[in-house]
Amino acid sequence: SSAPQEWKRHREKMKKAFPDGWNPPRKLSRDGMDSLRDLHALNPAMFTTAVLADRFMISPEAVRRILKAKWQPSDERREKLLDREARLRAEAIQRQREQE
């Protein structure tokens, strides 16, 4: 079967491209990831990886990983993640204002 060979080739390519592991420079919020998944589920032919990468301004690899991931946080965990995102966003805005 060629699937294991393709998987192995992809894994080697990713290790070469990201020797320190996956750490994208631009990250989507939890809501952004949910929106991306919803669009793809609505019409996979129209909302391809390339289209979603362009629309959300992230790499095609990030889109691929988001669509592949099955993990969903519990309601309690989701609340904590959303609170953390809001706090980090507020801190970034504050730092930006201080620099101006």
Side-chain angles (χ1 to χ4, degrees):
S1 163
S2 66
Q5 293 295 349
E6 291 173 22
W7 178 83
K8 188 175 183 181
R9 224 181 344 234
H10 179 76
R11 183 178 164 97
E12 288 170 3
K13 181 179 172 186
M14 291 298 106
K15 281 188 181 268
K16 191 173 184 179
F18 307 105
D20 297 329
W22 177 249
N23 187 16
R26 186 168 188 299
K27 296 171 175 73
L28 279 185
S29 67
R30 176 72 36 201
D31 287 340
M33 286 189 257
D34 291 343
S35 297
L36 186 145
R37 284 189 195 101
D38 291 344
L39 286 172
H40 184 72
L42 184 68
N43 189 342
M46 185 171 147
F47 295 107
T48 62
T49 299
V51 169
L52 291 169
D54 190 47
R55 180 171 282 195
F56 286 88
M57 295 180 286
I58 58 176
S59 71
E61 178 62 14
V63 172
R64 188 190 71 75
R65 286 170 182 254
I66 291 167
L67 293 175
K68 180 181 164 196
K70 300 297 179 208
W71 180 81
Q72 289 292 325
S74 65
D75 290 343
E76 182 181 323
R77 180 79 174 129
R78 181 179 290 273
E79 281 300 314
K80 286 182 181 178
L81 289 169
L82 292 175
D83 289 346
R84 179 175 179 260
E85 287 174 6
R87 182 178 44 80
L88 291 173
R89 197 176 309 116
E91 289 172 3
I93 291 169
Q94 184 63 35
R95 277 193 306 272
Q96 192 174 20
R97 286 185 182 150
E98 289 171 359
Q99 289 176 356
E100 289 177 350

